[in-house]
Amino acid sequence: MAFRKPPDGGWGWVIVVVSFFAQFLCYGSPLAVGVLYLEWLDAFGEGKGKTAWVGSLANGIGLLASPVCSICVSSFGARPVAIFSGFMVAGGLMMSSFAPNIYFLYVSYGIVVGLGCGLLYTATVTITCQYFDKRRGLALGLISTGSSVGLFIYAALQRELIELYGLDGCLLIVGALSLNILACGSLMRPLESSSSPPPEKMFVDKVPDQYFVYHEKEKTVEENISILEKGYIDEKSVNNVPDCKQDSVLNKNALSSINVSEKDTYKKKVVEQTNFCKQLAKRKWQLYLTYWKETMVLFKNKVFSALFVAILLFDIGGFPPSLLMEDVARSANISEDDYYMPLISIIGIMTTVGKLILGILADFKWVNTLYLYVTTLLMTGVALFAIPFAKSYLTLAMLSGILGFLTGNWSIFPYVTTKTVGIEKLTHAYGILMFFAGLGNSLGPPIVGWFYDWTQEYNTAFYFSGFCVLLGGFLLLLAALPCWNACTNQSSKLPPNTYSYKVASNA
């Protein structure tokens, strides 16, 4: 379906507002799951690694299922998918209030809520891109801050609700709040198509040419019947003598000729349908082969391969603080009287600031987005190494703010991907990278939790996290260095349709 030109305003700003609030309501609880994590540890008495799977699944499953989410939005539209995701998120949160064990939470909170978040994210981004062209970057930036603001508010909200109504009451209330996603989704009016042909014409246009053969053959049968009847009537009129025997013979001949024609038509239909199915299967198989060939071409680009490793390692090491920072403070025996604000709230508000500032920096011509992204990775690794040395609330709050700001590098990640593979292959490459980002989100917190279960302290766990992020940053930096590109260009040439990142280019 061809949509008309994006209006870059008008109802598009309503789409931005409702998408912001939809992401706020949807991602608030999963991103602020660190508050619930402490309660689940006390309620079920499981290990930190096993309990951390709940929050990691909720944040990673949506990215892992991003291809499925994209197919759903393409097939059914953004508005129905957004409304359905509201039911999933609200239902998953409410079901979690009745969880008898940690395994039930894996399904209710981890998978159901996670899939709902993935569907909603895809729907909001898709419909925003349809309504905006020139101001698309601004619109996407505004709606992406909804999740960060949700993290900031929900961290304090869930803690207050737990104190007032307990863990089960908190999940029920948060789930009820998520039902407002339905109202937001209902306002996501689809953009009208540029041309609206009559339904009958659209239906005929979509029918393959092979099926017109069937109609022609069916017409031939009808014509044969009419010819036989016409000949019989003419003959009767000429002779003007009723002849029952002759009438029965003609009827038998007509019926036999009709049966023969129908059998032939049916056989030809079966043959043509079989050929059509074979051609369709062959075409699909060729599409799959083309997809994997293009994927292999992408990985021949050294910068893209390094970017894939970097995003995986960054999410393994950089995501756990947003989930475990509250437990780190409790393990450091920090008094609750010293808490001026939840550490997760600090991470949330600074992530919003980081997205805005890093996004603005990426628009300057003298700033290289790849080097800027590498800088955020290296600084994140250093901050993770510093967490074991933080023994006071003030120090942990400062590190939480730094980590939150650097996590805002998600706003420049599409820029980096575009510069690496080119705009033509952005969708393909971004889908692959988001899948591995979801894999890192799912694995990171449980790995850190298992380290704690083995050593009974977080120092080794955060040393491991910092090492992962630093390793990814150094690999990406090495792949982007001009001297490395010069050496590789002399030794081998990239295959056609492959884009290498030129470090001299500007964002």
Side-chain angles (χ1 to χ4, degrees):
M1 179 182 292
F3 293 100
R4 65 182 177 87
K5 185 178 179 182
D8 278 296
W11 192 260
W13 294 118
V14 177
I15 298 295
V16 170
V17 172
V18 298
S19 297
F20 172 89
F21 281 106
Q23 290 200 16
F24 169 85
L25 295 165
C26 179
Y27 280 96
S29 181
L31 290 178
V33 73
V35 177
L36 304 175
Y37 171 76
L38 297 177
E39 302 299 322
W40 288 330
L41 282 174
D42 297 336
F44 300 114
E46 300 286 353
K48 295 181 186 294
K50 186 180 289 188
T51 308
W53 269 110
V54 181
S56 62
L57 283 174
N59 287 277
I61 200 74
L63 293 174
L64 289 172
S66 55
V68 178
C69 298
S70 299
I71 292 173
C72 291
V73 174
S74 300
S75 303
F76 304 106
R79 176 192 277 175
V81 170
I83 294 173
F84 179 73
S85 67
F87 282 112
M88 288 192 69
V89 174
L93 290 170
M94 292 179 180
M95 287 168 56
S96 300
S97 65
F98 304 100
N101 52 52
I102 199 70
Y103 302 103
F104 187 91
L105 286 173
Y106 289 163
V107 178
S108 63
Y109 198 97
I111 297 178
V112 176
V113 175
L115 280 176
C117 291
L119 288 170
L120 183 74
Y121 177 79
T122 307
T124 53
V125 170
T126 300
I127 196 166
T128 302
C129 290
Q130 291 174 0
Y131 269 87
F132 288 90
D133 183 17
K134 297 178 181 178
R135 300 176 180 177
R136 183 175 295 168
L138 174 62
L140 291 174
L142 290 173
I143 69 170
S144 68
T145 57
S147 58
S148 302
V149 175
L151 169 58
F152 171 70
I153 294 178
Y154 268 74
L157 175 64
Q158 291 185 146
R159 171 174 289 182
E160 190 67 24
L161 290 175
I162 289 172
E163 292 180 358
L164 294 174
Y165 306 104
L167 176 61
D168 297 342
C170 170
L171 289 170
L172 284 173
I173 294 173
V174 172
L177 288 174
S178 300
L179 289 173
N180 289 286
I181 297 174
L182 307 181
C184 296
S186 64
L187 292 173
M188 294 180 183
R189 187 174 65 196
L191 191 65
E192 296 177 358
S193 57
S194 57
S195 59
S196 301
E200 298 163 347
K201 186 177 180 182
M202 290 174 62
F203 176 77
V204 171
D205 290 342
K206 291 181 180 179
V207 176
D209 296 336
Q210 292 91 337
Y211 293 105
F212 287 104
V213 179
Y214 309 153
H215 296 307
E216 291 175 3
K217 292 179 179 177
E218 289 172 0
K219 282 183 178 181
T220 304
V221 174
E222 294 174 355
E223 289 172 1
N224 289 335
I225 296 172
S226 62
I227 290 170
L228 288 170
E229 292 178 348
K230 185 178 179 182
Y232 171 67
I233 294 170
D234 291 341
E235 189 174 354
K236 279 186 69 176
S237 62
V238 171
N239 297 331
N240 202 16
V241 178
D243 191 351
C244 296
K245 189 174 181 181
Q246 186 178 4
D247 187 51
S248 62
V249 170
L250 284 173
N251 285 335
K252 287 180 181 179
N253 291 336
L255 289 172
S256 61
S257 63
I258 292 171
N259 291 333
V260 171
S261 300
E262 286 180 350
K263 289 179 181 179
D264 293 340
T265 304
Y266 176 75
K267 289 179 181 179
K268 290 179 181 179
K269 281 183 183 180
V270 172
V271 172
E272 290 176 0
Q273 286 178 346
T274 304
N275 292 334
F276 177 75
C277 293
K278 287 181 179 179
Q279 292 295 328
L280 182 62
K282 185 177 180 181
R283 192 183 308 166
K284 292 291 184 182
W285 178 249
Q286 290 175 348
L287 289 175
Y288 291 137
L289 289 178
T290 303
Y291 176 83
W292 288 111
K293 286 179 182 179
E294 291 179 354
T295 303
M296 295 304 296
V297 170
L298 285 175
F299 278 99
K300 288 181 181 179
N301 186 333
K302 291 181 175 59
V303 179
F304 177 81
S305 298
L307 191 63
F308 140 74
V309 176
I311 192 65
L312 176 63
L313 294 177
F314 172 73
D315 280 281
I316 289 177
F319 178 66
S322 62
L323 177 61
L324 304 173
M325 193 61 80
E326 297 293 330
D327 193 46
V328 171
R330 188 169 71 171
S331 301
N333 297 320
I334 296 176
S335 174
E336 293 185 2
D337 297 334
D338 296 334
Y339 263 72
Y340 302 102
M341 182 184 296
L343 296 175
I344 299 179
S345 295
I346 297 175
I347 293 176
I349 194 64
M350 290 305 297
T351 300
T352 305
V353 175
K355 286 179 178 179
L356 294 174
I357 293 180
L358 292 174
I360 293 172
L361 286 175
D363 287 333
F364 287 109
K365 295 182 179 180
W366 50 270
V367 174
N368 188 295
T369 51
L370 181 60
Y371 287 161
L372 179 62
Y373 185 75
V374 170
T375 303
T376 61
L377 295 183
L378 299 179
M379 293 178 66
T380 301
V382 173
L384 289 171
F385 271 116
I387 289 178
F389 300 98
K391 302 300 180 182
S392 65
Y393 172 81
L394 181 60
T395 311
L396 285 174
M398 292 175 61
L399 289 174
S400 297
I402 293 172
L403 288 170
F405 180 86
L406 296 173
T407 305
N409 61 6
W410 277 100
S411 64
I412 63 173
F413 189 73
Y415 286 79
V416 177
T417 308
T418 304
K419 286 291 184 178
T420 303
V421 301
I423 191 65
E424 297 85 359
K425 299 185 178 182
L426 174 62
T427 303
H428 187 183
Y430 199 72
I432 295 173
L433 294 174
M434 286 300 99
F435 175 84
F436 286 101
L439 185 63
N441 275 347
S442 301
L443 294 177
I447 290 175
V448 173
W450 288 331
F451 269 111
Y452 184 92
D453 293 336
W454 293 334
T455 61
Q456 296 302 310
E457 44 88 18
Y458 275 116
N459 295 351
T460 307
F462 282 105
Y463 290 148
F464 170 78
S465 298
F467 173 76
C468 287
V469 178
L470 284 176
L471 177 62
F474 278 121
L475 288 175
L476 185 57
L477 178 63
L478 180 64
L481 286 176
C483 58
W484 174 255
N485 284 335
C487 294
T488 54
N489 287 336
Q490 290 177 0
S491 59
S492 62
K493 292 184 179 180
L494 291 172
N497 299 325
T498 305
Y499 300 86
S500 63
Y501 192 95
K502 297 181 181 180
V503 293
S505 63
N506 295 323

